[in-house]
Amino acid sequence: MICAHKGGGKVSRFRLRMDLQLFAGEKTEKATPKKRQESRKKGQVAKSAEIPGSLILLGTLCCFLALGPFFTGRVKALFGDVFQHRLNMQVTDQNVSSLFFHYIVELLIVVSPILVIALLVAFASYYVQIGWLFTTEPLKLKLNKLNPLNGLKQMFSMRSAVEFLKSATKLIVIGVIVYSVLMSEKKRLLELANMPVQGIFAFTADVTLRLGLLASGALFLLALADYMYQKYEYEKSLKMSKQDIKDEYKNTEGDPLIKGKIKERQRRMAMMRMMQEVPKADVVITNPTHFAVALQYDGSKMDAPTIVAKGQDYMALRIREIARKNDVVIMENKPLARALYERTEIGDTVPGDLFQAVAEVLAYVYRLKGRRRA
C-alpha cells in the first residue's frame, strides 16, 4: 500500500508538472506592443478586402447618379461624332491615328470621374482600417507557399470554410435582392415590348441603378461583419503564451540574472572607487558603529566640504579600517554622522545648515594635525 501510494504521488506530481507546462504554452495572453509592431511591419494587419470593394461599387453608382447628364452628353457626342463627321473621312495612317487618339482622350474624360472616385474610396477605406502602412514584406518570394502540402492544408482549413461561407452568403443576398426587385417590376417588364426605345433604356437604367445601390449596401453590411471577424482572427493569431512574453522580455531587456550580476559588479566597482577616496579624506565622522561619513576639503578648489565616502554597518566598518591604515582622523559625532548620511550622497557638498558643525570638526582636525588653513 505504501509503495502504491508513493508511486501514485509521483504520477500525480508528473501530471501536475505536465499540466503546468501545457498551461504555460497556451496562447492566452494579449499581444505585447512589440509583437504588434513586428506583425505590422510584416504587413499582417486586421483588414477586410470586402469593404473597399463594396464602397467602390457604391461610390461608382453615386457618381453615375450625380453626373448622369455629363456621362449622357459625352457618350452621345462620342458616338454621334462618327456619323456626323467621320463617314466621309479619307482613311489614311495619319487620319486613323489622330482618330484613335481623339477617341482615347474622350474615353479617358468619360471614365476619369469614376477612376478618381474609385481610387479615393479605396485609399480612404484602407486608411480607416489600418492607417498609413507601406511595406514590401508581403511581396517577397516565400518558397513554402509552393509546398503542395501547405496548399492542401489551406484548402481544408477553417479560413477556407469561412471564405466559402462568405461567398455563398453574398451570392444568396444578391440573388434575393435581384429577385425581389425584378418581381416588383414584373408588370413593367411585361410592358417593355410596347414601350419606345428611350423608355426601355430609361427603365433599364433605373432598375440597374436600384439593383446596384441595394446590392452595394448589402455587401457593405456583410463587409463590416467580415471586418469584425478578421479583427477577431487577427487578435487570436497574435495571442502569446506566458513563456513567449518571458522570452520577449529577455530578448529586449536582457536576462534578469545577467542584469543582476551586472548591477552587482557595477555596485562593487563603485564601492572600490569610493574606498579609494577614503585615504584622501580629512576626517571620518562616525556614529560610532552604524554610520561613517568621510569628508574632504580643499579651500583652493572647493567652496564647501565634500562627501567622498559614506557607509552603514559593514561599509562603515570598512571605511574606518581604511582610515586608520592611512592615518585619517576618525571623530565620533552621532547626530552629525546620521544627518550627513541621510541627507547627502557621494560627491555632494555639506548642506548649509550643517556648515557650523562641520567647520568645528575640521578646525579640531586641523589643530590636531598641527596645521592651519584659511
Side-chain angles (χ1 to χ4, degrees):
M1 292 293 292
I2 295 175
C3 294
H5 178 71
K6 288 184 177 179
K10 290 181 179 179
V11 172
S12 299
R13 288 195 295 271
F14 176 75
R15 288 178 178 175
L16 178 61
R17 190 176 303 167
M18 291 295 294
D19 291 340
L20 290 174
Q21 290 178 356
L22 290 173
F23 178 74
E26 289 182 356
K27 297 184 181 297
T28 57
E29 306 299 318
K30 289 185 177 181
T32 59
K34 184 176 183 295
K35 178 73 176 290
R36 293 180 183 277
Q37 186 177 5
E38 290 177 352
S39 176
R40 186 176 176 83
K41 286 181 179 178
K42 295 178 181 178
Q44 299 172 357
V45 290
K47 66 179 185 298
S48 172
E50 308 294 334
I51 291 179
S54 61
L55 288 178
I56 288 172
L57 177 59
L58 184 61
T60 303
L61 292 172
C62 292
C63 179
F64 277 119
L65 286 174
L67 301 177
F70 168 79
F71 290 117
T72 304
R74 283 287 177 176
V75 171
K76 285 182 178 180
L78 183 63
F79 285 96
D81 180 70
V82 177
F83 298 100
Q84 294 176 3
H85 307 102
R86 309 294 179 180
L87 292 178
N88 298 324
M89 184 186 72
Q90 186 177 1
V91 179
T92 62
D93 292 339
Q94 186 176 2
N95 290 343
V96 171
S97 299
S98 62
L99 178 65
F100 273 102
F101 179 76
H102 172 72
Y103 285 156
I104 288 172
V105 172
E106 290 294 325
L107 286 174
L108 287 176
I109 293 173
V110 171
V111 300
S112 58
I114 300 173
L115 293 176
V116 171
I117 289 177
L119 289 174
L120 291 177
V121 170
F123 178 80
S125 58
Y126 275 112
Y127 183 79
V128 170
Q129 290 185 83
I130 62 177
W132 177 254
L133 176 63
F134 178 79
T135 177
T136 58
E137 190 69 24
L139 302 177
K140 292 182 179 178
L141 179 62
K142 296 180 181 179
L143 297 178
N144 59 352
K145 291 184 178 180
L146 304 177
N147 190 348
L149 295 177
N150 292 338
L152 289 174
K153 288 180 182 179
Q154 292 179 359
M155 287 177 61
F156 298 100
S157 64
M158 184 64 183
R159 180 175 291 275
S160 298
V162 172
E163 292 297 326
F164 173 77
L165 183 62
K166 285 194 306 183
S167 301
T169 304
K170 287 192 290 185
L171 286 175
I172 292 172
V173 169
I174 293 174
V176 170
I177 291 173
V178 172
Y179 176 79
S180 60
V181 170
L182 292 180
M183 289 302 293
S184 66
E185 299 291 341
K186 182 173 65 173
K187 184 177 180 180
R188 293 182 65 186
L189 283 171
L190 296 175
E191 296 175 354
L192 285 179
N194 301 322
M195 294 176 62
V197 176
Q198 188 175 0
I200 294 174
F201 279 113
F203 171 77
T204 305
D206 178 63
V207 172
T208 303
L209 284 175
R210 223 183 333 154
L211 284 173
L213 291 173
L214 290 174
S216 59
L219 290 177
F220 179 69
L221 294 178
L222 292 176
L224 290 178
D226 178 60
Y227 174 72
M228 299 302 293
Y229 172 77
Q230 296 295 338
K231 192 171 183 180
Y232 166 76
E233 284 292 321
Y234 176 72
E235 293 294 334
K236 184 179 177 181
S237 66
L238 284 183
K239 280 189 175 181
M240 305 171 67
S241 63
K242 296 183 182 295
Q243 187 62 39
D244 293 337
I245 295 176
K246 290 180 181 178
D247 294 340
E248 181 184 292
Y249 178 79
K250 286 182 180 180
N251 293 331
T252 55
E253 301 293 334
D255 195 331
L257 295 177
I258 297 177
K259 287 181 67 177
K261 290 180 180 179
I262 293 174
K263 288 183 178 179
E264 178 65 21
R265 182 171 295 180
Q266 290 175 345
R267 188 177 66 84
R268 289 181 180 177
M269 293 177 65
M271 285 170 41
M272 290 176 61
R273 288 194 298 267
M274 183 183 71
M275 293 303 179
Q276 291 173 358
E277 296 295 325
V278 174
K280 303 176 184 178
D282 293 315
V283 63
V284 173
I285 304 174
T286 64
N287 194 23
T289 56
H290 294 294
F291 300 101
V293 180
L295 297 175
Q296 182 185 15
Y297 178 62
D298 186 348
S300 60
K301 299 179 181 179
M302 302 177 184
D303 296 330
T306 304
I307 312 298
V308 295
K310 72 171 189 174
Q312 185 178 7
D313 297 332
Y314 174 74
M315 289 299 301
L317 177 62
R318 290 286 298 142
I319 291 173
R320 290 198 301 271
E321 289 178 354
I322 295 174
R324 289 193 188 96
K325 291 179 182 179
N326 293 273
D327 296 328
V328 177
V329 178
I330 300 174
M331 185 173 180
E332 179 181 339
N333 189 326
K334 296 180 181 180
L336 183 58
R338 180 180 291 273
L340 290 172
Y341 182 85
E342 293 178 351
R343 296 173 55 185
T344 60
E345 297 295 335
I346 297 172
D348 292 348
T349 57
V350 174
D353 57 334
L354 299 179
F355 275 177
Q356 182 65 32
V358 172
E360 292 176 0
V361 170
L362 289 176
Y364 170 78
V365 170
Y366 296 151
R367 286 197 301 271
L368 188 63
K369 290 183 177 181
R371 296 183 297 172
R372 293 291 183 272
R373 292 187 180 182

